[in-house]
Amino acid sequence: SQQGEEDPQALSIQEGENATMNCSYKTSINNLQWYRQNSGRGLVHLILIRSNEREKHSGRLRVTLDTSKKSSSLLITASRAADTASYFCATDRGSNYKLTFGKGTLLTVNP
Amino acid sequence: DVKVTQSSRYLVKRTGEKVFLECVQDMDHENMFWYRQDPGLGLRLIYFSYDVKMKEKGDIPEGYSVSREKKERFSLILESASTNQTSMYLCASSLGQGLLFEQFFGPGTRLTVL
């Protein structure tokens, strides 16, 4: 079963707007990561947030983590057409090696 | 930059054929992974390896095997391909143990089994 579940499944916005994607998970985690996948390509790591962190920034990306609600959000500010991609959260389920990926949010940024 | 390469971007095979998918990483990473990605199901882990000649089953290992004879190379083997193994296959690697390390992905191999 999936550990992380992204919401919404699809999101369409205009260039310049902000995009927010959410991830919920079921069991305790040590870390949570966000990845981006452009159509038909491999995934690219965006950001890692540890279970003892509440917020992290990287450029136009802001990630929050609420362990009490077992949820994380990814905010992309001032979106660009190049941000069009699928975004996945990945959690570790407490394992040393294995990441479990959600099904992803498809973000479309219209010029 | 870390580079993870996969032997083919597109592959078409027939039912019953033995299929080899090759993955090579160039940054001396300890861990390597094979996933398959299907619409509506996301990424699912097939096998991973944390050292040469070491392997562990992921969530969906049935119908697959793996080989890691050299640190930089991790092969996924479909012993007898079936149509339900038509999928996108993604290889990844990461430095060191534990999940403080990001995974670096290859471009993927889209396999079609007829």
PDB file of all heavy atoms in Angstrom, chain A residues 2 31 33 35 37 40-43 45 48 88 92 95-99 103, chain B residues 9 33 35 37 40-41 45 48 59 97-103 105-107:
ATOM      1  N   GLN A   2       0.334   2.327  -0.532  1.00  0.00           N
ATOM      2  CA  GLN A   2       1.094   3.550  -0.625  1.00  0.00           C
ATOM      3  C   GLN A   2       1.247   4.170   0.755  1.00  0.00           C
ATOM      4  O   GLN A   2       0.308   4.258   1.520  1.00  0.00           O
ATOM      5  CB  GLN A   2       0.376   4.532  -1.567  1.00  0.00           C
ATOM      6  CG  GLN A   2       0.263   4.026  -2.992  1.00  0.00           C
ATOM      7  CD  GLN A   2       1.587   4.033  -3.725  1.00  0.00           C
ATOM      8  OE1 GLN A   2       2.579   4.498  -3.213  1.00  0.00           O
ATOM      9  NE2 GLN A   2       1.602   3.480  -4.926  1.00  0.00           N
ATOM     10  N   ASN A  31      12.292  10.850   7.576  1.00  0.00           N
ATOM     11  CA  ASN A  31      12.508  11.920   6.617  1.00  0.00           C
ATOM     12  C   ASN A  31      11.414  11.883   5.558  1.00  0.00           C
ATOM     13  O   ASN A  31      10.816  10.836   5.309  1.00  0.00           O
ATOM     14  CB  ASN A  31      13.853  11.755   5.899  1.00  0.00           C
ATOM     15  CG  ASN A  31      15.005  11.640   6.844  1.00  0.00           C
ATOM     16  OD1 ASN A  31      15.352  12.601   7.512  1.00  0.00           O
ATOM     17  ND2 ASN A  31      15.580  10.455   6.925  1.00  0.00           N
ATOM     18  N   GLN A  33      10.890  13.359   1.473  1.00  0.00           N
ATOM     19  CA  GLN A  33      11.529  14.020   0.336  1.00  0.00           C
ATOM     20  C   GLN A  33      10.481  14.356  -0.715  1.00  0.00           C
ATOM     21  O   GLN A  33       9.469  13.671  -0.840  1.00  0.00           O
ATOM     22  CB  GLN A  33      12.593  13.102  -0.289  1.00  0.00           C
ATOM     23  CG  GLN A  33      13.691  12.687   0.688  1.00  0.00           C
ATOM     24  CD  GLN A  33      14.775  11.847   0.034  1.00  0.00           C
ATOM     25  OE1 GLN A  33      15.024  11.956  -1.144  1.00  0.00           O
ATOM     26  NE2 GLN A  33      15.421  11.007   0.831  1.00  0.00           N
ATOM     27  N   TYR A  35      10.135  15.065  -4.930  1.00  0.00           N
ATOM     28  CA  TYR A  35      10.781  14.877  -6.224  1.00  0.00           C
ATOM     29  C   TYR A  35       9.891  15.459  -7.321  1.00  0.00           C
ATOM     30  O   TYR A  35       8.663  15.531  -7.185  1.00  0.00           O
ATOM     31  CB  TYR A  35      10.991  13.385  -6.528  1.00  0.00           C
ATOM     32  CG  TYR A  35      12.081  12.730  -5.716  1.00  0.00           C
ATOM     33  CD1 TYR A  35      11.853  12.342  -4.396  1.00  0.00           C
ATOM     34  CD2 TYR A  35      13.341  12.495  -6.266  1.00  0.00           C
ATOM     35  CE1 TYR A  35      12.849  11.734  -3.654  1.00  0.00           C
ATOM     36  CE2 TYR A  35      14.343  11.877  -5.534  1.00  0.00           C
ATOM     37  CZ  TYR A  35      14.088  11.496  -4.225  1.00  0.00           C
ATOM     38  OH  TYR A  35      15.076  10.882  -3.492  1.00  0.00           O
ATOM     39  N   GLN A  37       9.130  15.117 -11.614  1.00  0.00           N
ATOM     40  CA  GLN A  37       9.327  14.301 -12.807  1.00  0.00           C
ATOM     41  C   GLN A  37       8.730  15.020 -14.004  1.00  0.00           C
ATOM     42  O   GLN A  37       7.511  15.219 -14.076  1.00  0.00           O
ATOM     43  CB  GLN A  37       8.684  12.924 -12.660  1.00  0.00           C
ATOM     44  CG  GLN A  37       8.931  12.010 -13.848  1.00  0.00           C
ATOM     45  CD  GLN A  37       8.263  10.656 -13.685  1.00  0.00           C
ATOM     46  OE1 GLN A  37       7.189  10.544 -13.111  1.00  0.00           O
ATOM     47  NE2 GLN A  37       8.904   9.603 -14.188  1.00  0.00           N
ATOM     48  N   GLY A  40       7.764  11.729 -18.994  1.00  0.00           N
ATOM     49  CA  GLY A  40       8.548  10.673 -19.624  1.00  0.00           C
ATOM     50  C   GLY A  40       9.998  10.597 -19.202  1.00  0.00           C
ATOM     51  O   GLY A  40      10.788   9.921 -19.863  1.00  0.00           O
ATOM     52  N   ARG A  41      10.347  11.272 -18.131  1.00  0.00           N
ATOM     53  CA  ARG A  41      11.740  11.296 -17.683  1.00  0.00           C
ATOM     54  C   ARG A  41      11.873  10.709 -16.288  1.00  0.00           C
ATOM     55  O   ARG A  41      10.896  10.329 -15.654  1.00  0.00           O
ATOM     56  CB  ARG A  41      12.271  12.738 -17.675  1.00  0.00           C
ATOM     57  CG  ARG A  41      12.054  13.499 -18.963  1.00  0.00           C
ATOM     58  CD  ARG A  41      12.845  12.949 -20.093  1.00  0.00           C
ATOM     59  NE  ARG A  41      14.280  13.049 -19.862  1.00  0.00           N
ATOM     60  CZ  ARG A  41      15.183  12.708 -20.782  1.00  0.00           C
ATOM     61  NH1 ARG A  41      14.806  12.239 -21.948  1.00  0.00           N
ATOM     62  NH2 ARG A  41      16.466  12.827 -20.521  1.00  0.00           N
ATOM     63  N   GLY A  42      13.111  10.648 -15.798  1.00  0.00           N
ATOM     64  CA  GLY A  42      13.359  10.196 -14.436  1.00  0.00           C
ATOM     65  C   GLY A  42      13.015  11.281 -13.427  1.00  0.00           C
ATOM     66  O   GLY A  42      12.735  12.418 -13.777  1.00  0.00           O
ATOM     67  N   LEU A  43      13.031  10.910 -12.169  1.00  0.00           N
ATOM     68  CA  LEU A  43      12.711  11.858 -11.108  1.00  0.00           C
ATOM     69  C   LEU A  43      13.941  12.653 -10.708  1.00  0.00           C
ATOM     70  O   LEU A  43      15.060  12.156 -10.759  1.00  0.00           O
ATOM     71  CB  LEU A  43      12.167  11.119  -9.880  1.00  0.00           C
ATOM     72  CG  LEU A  43      10.706  10.701  -9.928  1.00  0.00           C
ATOM     73  CD1 LEU A  43      10.477   9.553 -10.887  1.00  0.00           C
ATOM     74  CD2 LEU A  43      10.214  10.327  -8.523  1.00  0.00           C
ATOM     75  N   HIS A  45      15.412  15.020  -7.488  1.00  0.00           N
ATOM     76  CA  HIS A  45      15.208  15.375  -6.080  1.00  0.00           C
ATOM     77  C   HIS A  45      15.085  16.883  -5.930  1.00  0.00           C
ATOM     78  O   HIS A  45      15.860  17.652  -6.510  1.00  0.00           O
ATOM     79  CB  HIS A  45      16.401  14.870  -5.269  1.00  0.00           C
ATOM     80  CG  HIS A  45      16.307  15.157  -3.818  1.00  0.00           C
ATOM     81  ND1 HIS A  45      16.914  16.234  -3.227  1.00  0.00           N
ATOM     82  CD2 HIS A  45      15.665  14.508  -2.823  1.00  0.00           C
ATOM     83  CE1 HIS A  45      16.663  16.229  -1.932  1.00  0.00           C
ATOM     84  NE2 HIS A  45      15.913  15.192  -1.661  1.00  0.00           N
ATOM     85  N   LEU A  48      14.677  17.696   0.911  1.00  0.00           N
ATOM     86  CA  LEU A  48      14.498  16.718   1.975  1.00  0.00           C
ATOM     87  C   LEU A  48      14.184  17.463   3.258  1.00  0.00           C
ATOM     88  O   LEU A  48      14.818  18.475   3.566  1.00  0.00           O
ATOM     89  CB  LEU A  48      15.772  15.889   2.153  1.00  0.00           C
ATOM     90  CG  LEU A  48      15.807  14.831   3.264  1.00  0.00           C
ATOM     91  CD1 LEU A  48      16.728  13.695   2.872  1.00  0.00           C
ATOM     92  CD2 LEU A  48      16.261  15.412   4.594  1.00  0.00           C
ATOM     93  N   PHE A  88       6.179  14.322  -6.585  1.00  0.00           N
ATOM     94  CA  PHE A  88       5.982  13.164  -5.716  1.00  0.00           C
ATOM     95  C   PHE A  88       6.585  13.423  -4.345  1.00  0.00           C
ATOM     96  O   PHE A  88       7.669  13.993  -4.236  1.00  0.00           O
ATOM     97  CB  PHE A  88       6.688  11.931  -6.296  1.00  0.00           C
ATOM     98  CG  PHE A  88       6.145  11.455  -7.607  1.00  0.00           C
ATOM     99  CD1 PHE A  88       6.584  12.008  -8.798  1.00  0.00           C
ATOM    100  CD2 PHE A  88       5.204  10.451  -7.654  1.00  0.00           C
ATOM    101  CE1 PHE A  88       6.087  11.576 -10.015  1.00  0.00           C
ATOM    102  CE2 PHE A  88       4.699   9.996  -8.862  1.00  0.00           C
ATOM    103  CZ  PHE A  88       5.146  10.569 -10.052  1.00  0.00           C
ATOM    104  N   ASP A  92      10.090   7.277   4.258  1.00  0.00           N
ATOM    105  CA  ASP A  92      10.963   6.136   4.496  1.00  0.00           C
ATOM    106  C   ASP A  92      10.317   5.035   5.325  1.00  0.00           C
ATOM    107  O   ASP A  92      10.908   3.992   5.503  1.00  0.00           O
ATOM    108  CB  ASP A  92      12.261   6.594   5.136  1.00  0.00           C
ATOM    109  CG  ASP A  92      12.040   7.339   6.449  1.00  0.00           C
ATOM    110  OD1 ASP A  92      10.959   7.223   7.057  1.00  0.00           O
ATOM    111  OD2 ASP A  92      12.964   8.052   6.866  1.00  0.00           O
ATOM    112  N   SER A  95      12.378   2.810   7.489  1.00  0.00           N
ATOM    113  CA  SER A  95      13.363   1.869   6.941  1.00  0.00           C
ATOM    114  C   SER A  95      14.694   2.566   6.687  1.00  0.00           C
ATOM    115  O   SER A  95      14.741   3.773   6.493  1.00  0.00           O
ATOM    116  CB  SER A  95      12.835   1.296   5.630  1.00  0.00           C
ATOM    117  OG  SER A  95      13.874   0.704   4.878  1.00  0.00           O
ATOM    118  N   ASN A  96      15.767   1.802   6.651  1.00  0.00           N
ATOM    119  CA  ASN A  96      17.064   2.394   6.360  1.00  0.00           C
ATOM    120  C   ASN A  96      17.299   2.639   4.881  1.00  0.00           C
ATOM    121  O   ASN A  96      18.129   3.450   4.519  1.00  0.00           O
ATOM    122  CB  ASN A  96      18.182   1.483   6.872  1.00  0.00           C
ATOM    123  CG  ASN A  96      18.415   1.662   8.350  1.00  0.00           C
ATOM    124  OD1 ASN A  96      18.124   2.717   8.892  1.00  0.00           O
ATOM    125  ND2 ASN A  96      18.917   0.655   9.000  1.00  0.00           N
ATOM    126  N   TYR A  97      16.643   1.927   4.055  1.00  0.00           N
ATOM    127  CA  TYR A  97      16.990   1.986   2.644  1.00  0.00           C
ATOM    128  C   TYR A  97      15.847   2.403   1.736  1.00  0.00           C
ATOM    129  O   TYR A  97      16.065   3.043   0.736  1.00  0.00           O
ATOM    130  CB  TYR A  97      17.459   0.607   2.149  1.00  0.00           C
ATOM    131  CG  TYR A  97      18.670   0.091   2.856  1.00  0.00           C
ATOM    132  CD1 TYR A  97      18.555  -0.900   3.808  1.00  0.00           C
ATOM    133  CD2 TYR A  97      19.926   0.604   2.578  1.00  0.00           C
ATOM    134  CE1 TYR A  97      19.676  -1.376   4.469  1.00  0.00           C
ATOM    135  CE2 TYR A  97      21.040   0.127   3.230  1.00  0.00           C
ATOM    136  CZ  TYR A  97      20.912  -0.862   4.165  1.00  0.00           C
ATOM    137  OH  TYR A  97      22.002  -1.336   4.808  1.00  0.00           O
ATOM    138  N   LYS A  98      14.660   2.029   2.116  1.00  0.00           N
ATOM    139  CA  LYS A  98      13.593   2.099   1.130  1.00  0.00           C
ATOM    140  C   LYS A  98      12.774   3.372   1.259  1.00  0.00           C
ATOM    141  O   LYS A  98      12.371   3.770   2.341  1.00  0.00           O
ATOM    142  CB  LYS A  98      12.666   0.885   1.285  1.00  0.00           C
ATOM    143  CG  LYS A  98      13.349  -0.430   1.005  1.00  0.00           C
ATOM    144  CD  LYS A  98      12.357  -1.568   0.859  1.00  0.00           C
ATOM    145  CE  LYS A  98      11.732  -1.924   2.177  1.00  0.00           C
ATOM    146  NZ  LYS A  98      10.875  -3.140   2.031  1.00  0.00           N
ATOM    147  N   LEU A  99      12.561   3.995   0.129  1.00  0.00           N
ATOM    148  CA  LEU A  99      11.615   5.093   0.031  1.00  0.00           C
ATOM    149  C   LEU A  99      10.313   4.562  -0.546  1.00  0.00           C
ATOM    150  O   LEU A  99      10.324   3.694  -1.396  1.00  0.00           O
ATOM    151  CB  LEU A  99      12.146   6.189  -0.894  1.00  0.00           C
ATOM    152  CG  LEU A  99      13.234   7.108  -0.372  1.00  0.00           C
ATOM    153  CD1 LEU A  99      13.671   8.065  -1.468  1.00  0.00           C
ATOM    154  CD2 LEU A  99      12.767   7.869   0.842  1.00  0.00           C
ATOM    155  N   LYS A 103       1.539   8.693  -5.434  1.00  0.00           N
ATOM    156  CA  LYS A 103       1.162   8.594  -6.844  1.00  0.00           C
ATOM    157  C   LYS A 103       1.386   9.891  -7.600  1.00  0.00           C
ATOM    158  O   LYS A 103       1.287   9.929  -8.819  1.00  0.00           O
ATOM    159  CB  LYS A 103      -0.303   8.168  -6.950  1.00  0.00           C
ATOM    160  CG  LYS A 103      -0.556   6.792  -6.379  1.00  0.00           C
ATOM    161  CD  LYS A 103      -2.027   6.431  -6.399  1.00  0.00           C
ATOM    162  CE  LYS A 103      -2.244   5.092  -5.708  1.00  0.00           C
ATOM    163  NZ  LYS A 103      -3.673   4.723  -5.661  1.00  0.00           N
TER     164      LYS A 103
ATOM    165  N   ARG B   9      16.068   3.553 -23.834  1.00  0.00           N
ATOM    166  CA  ARG B   9      14.917   4.388 -23.483  1.00  0.00           C
ATOM    167  C   ARG B   9      13.611   3.669 -23.792  1.00  0.00           C
ATOM    168  O   ARG B   9      12.635   3.792 -23.057  1.00  0.00           O
ATOM    169  CB  ARG B   9      14.945   5.700 -24.254  1.00  0.00           C
ATOM    170  CG  ARG B   9      16.013   6.683 -23.829  1.00  0.00           C
ATOM    171  CD  ARG B   9      15.872   7.106 -22.369  1.00  0.00           C
ATOM    172  NE  ARG B   9      14.529   7.481 -21.979  1.00  0.00           N
ATOM    173  CZ  ARG B   9      13.986   8.671 -22.194  1.00  0.00           C
ATOM    174  NH1 ARG B   9      14.656   9.609 -22.816  1.00  0.00           N
ATOM    175  NH2 ARG B   9      12.744   8.934 -21.777  1.00  0.00           N
ATOM    176  N   PHE B  33      18.708   1.009  -6.929  1.00  0.00           N
ATOM    177  CA  PHE B  33      17.298   0.637  -6.823  1.00  0.00           C
ATOM    178  C   PHE B  33      16.694   0.439  -8.214  1.00  0.00           C
ATOM    179  O   PHE B  33      17.076   1.118  -9.160  1.00  0.00           O
ATOM    180  CB  PHE B  33      16.500   1.760  -6.134  1.00  0.00           C
ATOM    181  CG  PHE B  33      17.066   2.211  -4.821  1.00  0.00           C
ATOM    182  CD1 PHE B  33      18.100   3.135  -4.777  1.00  0.00           C
ATOM    183  CD2 PHE B  33      16.559   1.730  -3.626  1.00  0.00           C
ATOM    184  CE1 PHE B  33      18.629   3.562  -3.566  1.00  0.00           C
ATOM    185  CE2 PHE B  33      17.078   2.156  -2.410  1.00  0.00           C
ATOM    186  CZ  PHE B  33      18.114   3.073  -2.389  1.00  0.00           C
ATOM    187  N   TYR B  35      12.770   0.516  -9.801  1.00  0.00           N
ATOM    188  CA  TYR B  35      11.348   0.776  -9.621  1.00  0.00           C
ATOM    189  C   TYR B  35      10.633   0.537 -10.939  1.00  0.00           C
ATOM    190  O   TYR B  35      11.217   0.637 -12.000  1.00  0.00           O
ATOM    191  CB  TYR B  35      11.102   2.251  -9.262  1.00  0.00           C
ATOM    192  CG  TYR B  35      11.694   2.730  -7.964  1.00  0.00           C
ATOM    193  CD1 TYR B  35      12.988   3.254  -7.906  1.00  0.00           C
ATOM    194  CD2 TYR B  35      10.953   2.707  -6.785  1.00  0.00           C
ATOM    195  CE1 TYR B  35      13.518   3.724  -6.717  1.00  0.00           C
ATOM    196  CE2 TYR B  35      11.480   3.180  -5.584  1.00  0.00           C
ATOM    197  CZ  TYR B  35      12.762   3.684  -5.574  1.00  0.00           C
ATOM    198  OH  TYR B  35      13.285   4.159  -4.387  1.00  0.00           O
ATOM    199  N   GLN B  37       7.022   2.107 -12.788  1.00  0.00           N
ATOM    200  CA  GLN B  37       6.046   3.189 -12.647  1.00  0.00           C
ATOM    201  C   GLN B  37       4.887   2.934 -13.587  1.00  0.00           C
ATOM    202  O   GLN B  37       5.083   2.799 -14.797  1.00  0.00           O
ATOM    203  CB  GLN B  37       6.690   4.545 -12.962  1.00  0.00           C
ATOM    204  CG  GLN B  37       5.753   5.713 -12.747  1.00  0.00           C
ATOM    205  CD  GLN B  37       6.432   7.041 -13.004  1.00  0.00           C
ATOM    206  OE1 GLN B  37       7.417   7.134 -13.728  1.00  0.00           O
ATOM    207  NE2 GLN B  37       5.909   8.101 -12.385  1.00  0.00           N
ATOM    208  N   GLY B  40      -1.544   5.593 -12.221  1.00  0.00           N
ATOM    209  CA  GLY B  40      -2.464   5.326 -11.119  1.00  0.00           C
ATOM    210  C   GLY B  40      -1.854   4.552  -9.968  1.00  0.00           C
ATOM    211  O   GLY B  40      -2.474   4.426  -8.911  1.00  0.00           O
ATOM    212  N   LEU B  41      -0.653   4.038 -10.171  1.00  0.00           N
ATOM    213  CA  LEU B  41      -0.008   3.253  -9.105  1.00  0.00           C
ATOM    214  C   LEU B  41       1.263   3.903  -8.589  1.00  0.00           C
ATOM    215  O   LEU B  41       1.811   3.476  -7.567  1.00  0.00           O
ATOM    216  CB  LEU B  41       0.308   1.842  -9.615  1.00  0.00           C
ATOM    217  CG  LEU B  41      -0.893   0.975  -9.980  1.00  0.00           C
ATOM    218  CD1 LEU B  41      -0.430  -0.363 -10.548  1.00  0.00           C
ATOM    219  CD2 LEU B  41      -1.804   0.753  -8.771  1.00  0.00           C
ATOM    220  N   LEU B  45       8.803  -0.159  -5.673  1.00  0.00           N
ATOM    221  CA  LEU B  45      10.152  -0.691  -5.589  1.00  0.00           C
ATOM    222  C   LEU B  45      10.164  -2.183  -5.901  1.00  0.00           C
ATOM    223  O   LEU B  45       9.439  -2.961  -5.280  1.00  0.00           O
ATOM    224  CB  LEU B  45      10.717  -0.433  -4.194  1.00  0.00           C
ATOM    225  CG  LEU B  45      12.140  -0.902  -3.924  1.00  0.00           C
ATOM    226  CD1 LEU B  45      13.134  -0.133  -4.792  1.00  0.00           C
ATOM    227  CD2 LEU B  45      12.484  -0.732  -2.446  1.00  0.00           C
ATOM    228  N   PHE B  48      16.342  -3.667  -4.451  1.00  0.00           N
ATOM    229  CA  PHE B  48      17.436  -2.744  -4.238  1.00  0.00           C
ATOM    230  C   PHE B  48      18.681  -3.484  -3.782  1.00  0.00           C
ATOM    231  O   PHE B  48      18.614  -4.642  -3.361  1.00  0.00           O
ATOM    232  CB  PHE B  48      17.042  -1.622  -3.281  1.00  0.00           C
ATOM    233  CG  PHE B  48      16.810  -2.060  -1.864  1.00  0.00           C
ATOM    234  CD1 PHE B  48      17.799  -1.900  -0.898  1.00  0.00           C
ATOM    235  CD2 PHE B  48      15.589  -2.591  -1.479  1.00  0.00           C
ATOM    236  CE1 PHE B  48      17.568  -2.274   0.414  1.00  0.00           C
ATOM    237  CE2 PHE B  48      15.351  -2.974  -0.166  1.00  0.00           C
ATOM    238  CZ  PHE B  48      16.348  -2.809   0.776  1.00  0.00           C
ATOM    239  N   ASP B  59       8.916  -4.156  -2.876  1.00  0.00           N
ATOM    240  CA  ASP B  59       7.495  -4.433  -2.661  1.00  0.00           C
ATOM    241  C   ASP B  59       6.893  -5.378  -3.700  1.00  0.00           C
ATOM    242  O   ASP B  59       5.912  -6.053  -3.427  1.00  0.00           O
ATOM    243  CB  ASP B  59       6.711  -3.117  -2.651  1.00  0.00           C
ATOM    244  CG  ASP B  59       7.161  -2.211  -1.520  1.00  0.00           C
ATOM    245  OD1 ASP B  59       7.309  -2.734  -0.389  1.00  0.00           O
ATOM    246  OD2 ASP B  59       7.377  -1.011  -1.754  1.00  0.00           O
ATOM    247  N   GLN B  97      24.219   4.821   3.348  1.00  0.00           N
ATOM    248  CA  GLN B  97      23.026   4.187   3.883  1.00  0.00           C
ATOM    249  C   GLN B  97      22.104   5.239   4.468  1.00  0.00           C
ATOM    250  O   GLN B  97      22.490   6.342   4.774  1.00  0.00           O
ATOM    251  CB  GLN B  97      23.409   3.187   4.966  1.00  0.00           C
ATOM    252  CG  GLN B  97      24.227   2.029   4.442  1.00  0.00           C
ATOM    253  CD  GLN B  97      24.517   1.015   5.516  1.00  0.00           C
ATOM    254  OE1 GLN B  97      23.952   1.061   6.596  1.00  0.00           O
ATOM    255  NE2 GLN B  97      25.390   0.074   5.213  1.00  0.00           N
ATOM    256  N   GLY B  98      20.872   4.854   4.621  1.00  0.00           N
ATOM    257  CA  GLY B  98      19.922   5.747   5.259  1.00  0.00           C
ATOM    258  C   GLY B  98      19.292   6.710   4.286  1.00  0.00           C
ATOM    259  O   GLY B  98      19.764   6.905   3.168  1.00  0.00           O
ATOM    260  N   LEU B  99      18.260   7.317   4.728  1.00  0.00           N
ATOM    261  CA  LEU B  99      17.448   8.120   3.824  1.00  0.00           C
ATOM    262  C   LEU B  99      17.696   9.605   3.991  1.00  0.00           C
ATOM    263  O   LEU B  99      16.868  10.427   3.633  1.00  0.00           O
ATOM    264  CB  LEU B  99      15.982   7.751   4.009  1.00  0.00           C
ATOM    265  CG  LEU B  99      15.775   6.343   3.441  1.00  0.00           C
ATOM    266  CD1 LEU B  99      14.645   5.634   4.138  1.00  0.00           C
ATOM    267  CD2 LEU B  99      15.541   6.399   1.952  1.00  0.00           C
ATOM    268  N   LEU B 100      18.852   9.974   4.541  1.00  0.00           N
ATOM    269  CA  LEU B 100      19.262  11.364   4.480  1.00  0.00           C
ATOM    270  C   LEU B 100      19.829  11.691   3.110  1.00  0.00           C
ATOM    271  O   LEU B 100      20.158  12.841   2.837  1.00  0.00           O
ATOM    272  CB  LEU B 100      20.316  11.643   5.554  1.00  0.00           C
ATOM    273  CG  LEU B 100      19.796  11.621   6.989  1.00  0.00           C
ATOM    274  CD1 LEU B 100      20.954  11.817   7.957  1.00  0.00           C
ATOM    275  CD2 LEU B 100      18.749  12.708   7.203  1.00  0.00           C
ATOM    276  N   PHE B 101      19.945  10.654   2.280  1.00  0.00           N
ATOM    277  CA  PHE B 101      20.565  10.851   0.977  1.00  0.00           C
ATOM    278  C   PHE B 101      19.504  10.804  -0.107  1.00  0.00           C
ATOM    279  O   PHE B 101      18.674   9.921  -0.151  1.00  0.00           O
ATOM    280  CB  PHE B 101      21.616   9.775   0.727  1.00  0.00           C
ATOM    281  CG  PHE B 101      22.720   9.777   1.738  1.00  0.00           C
ATOM    282  CD1 PHE B 101      22.664   8.942   2.831  1.00  0.00           C
ATOM    283  CD2 PHE B 101      23.789  10.632   1.601  1.00  0.00           C
ATOM    284  CE1 PHE B 101      23.668   8.943   3.784  1.00  0.00           C
ATOM    285  CE2 PHE B 101      24.807  10.648   2.537  1.00  0.00           C
ATOM    286  CZ  PHE B 101      24.745   9.805   3.634  1.00  0.00           C
ATOM    287  N   GLU B 102      19.585  11.757  -1.034  1.00  0.00           N
ATOM    288  CA  GLU B 102      18.641  11.775  -2.135  1.00  0.00           C
ATOM    289  C   GLU B 102      18.943  10.636  -3.092  1.00  0.00           C
ATOM    290  O   GLU B 102      20.073  10.131  -3.157  1.00  0.00           O
ATOM    291  CB  GLU B 102      18.733  13.101  -2.876  1.00  0.00           C
ATOM    292  CG  GLU B 102      20.062  13.317  -3.561  1.00  0.00           C
ATOM    293  CD  GLU B 102      20.150  14.674  -4.230  1.00  0.00           C
ATOM    294  OE1 GLU B 102      19.656  14.786  -5.369  1.00  0.00           O
ATOM    295  OE2 GLU B 102      20.719  15.589  -3.623  1.00  0.00           O
ATOM    296  N   GLN B 103      17.925  10.255  -3.835  1.00  0.00           N
ATOM    297  CA  GLN B 103      18.108   9.265  -4.878  1.00  0.00           C
ATOM    298  C   GLN B 103      18.243   9.971  -6.213  1.00  0.00           C
ATOM    299  O   GLN B 103      17.522  10.919  -6.512  1.00  0.00           O
ATOM    300  CB  GLN B 103      16.939   8.280  -4.889  1.00  0.00           C
ATOM    301  CG  GLN B 103      16.917   7.399  -3.648  1.00  0.00           C
ATOM    302  CD  GLN B 103      15.964   6.235  -3.740  1.00  0.00           C
ATOM    303  OE1 GLN B 103      15.403   5.938  -4.799  1.00  0.00           O
ATOM    304  NE2 GLN B 103      15.768   5.537  -2.630  1.00  0.00           N
ATOM    305  N   PHE B 105      18.001   9.487 -10.213  1.00  0.00           N
ATOM    306  CA  PHE B 105      17.301   8.599 -11.128  1.00  0.00           C
ATOM    307  C   PHE B 105      17.883   8.657 -12.527  1.00  0.00           C
ATOM    308  O   PHE B 105      18.343   9.700 -13.001  1.00  0.00           O
ATOM    309  CB  PHE B 105      15.817   8.976 -11.199  1.00  0.00           C
ATOM    310  CG  PHE B 105      15.029   8.491 -10.017  1.00  0.00           C
ATOM    311  CD1 PHE B 105      15.052   9.189  -8.821  1.00  0.00           C
ATOM    312  CD2 PHE B 105      14.271   7.329 -10.098  1.00  0.00           C
ATOM    313  CE1 PHE B 105      14.328   8.738  -7.721  1.00  0.00           C
ATOM    314  CE2 PHE B 105      13.538   6.875  -9.006  1.00  0.00           C
ATOM    315  CZ  PHE B 105      13.579   7.581  -7.818  1.00  0.00           C
ATOM    316  N   GLY B 106      17.810   7.517 -13.209  1.00  0.00           N
ATOM    317  CA  GLY B 106      18.074   7.478 -14.630  1.00  0.00           C
ATOM    318  C   GLY B 106      16.861   7.965 -15.405  1.00  0.00           C
ATOM    319  O   GLY B 106      15.806   8.238 -14.827  1.00  0.00           O
ATOM    320  N   PRO B 107      16.974   8.053 -16.737  1.00  0.00           N
ATOM    321  CA  PRO B 107      15.887   8.589 -17.558  1.00  0.00           C
ATOM    322  C   PRO B 107      14.719   7.626 -17.747  1.00  0.00           C
ATOM    323  O   PRO B 107      13.651   8.028 -18.206  1.00  0.00           O
ATOM    324  CB  PRO B 107      16.563   8.872 -18.901  1.00  0.00           C
ATOM    325  CG  PRO B 107      17.700   7.908 -18.945  1.00  0.00           C
ATOM    326  CD  PRO B 107      18.174   7.753 -17.533  1.00  0.00           C
TER     327      PRO B 107
END
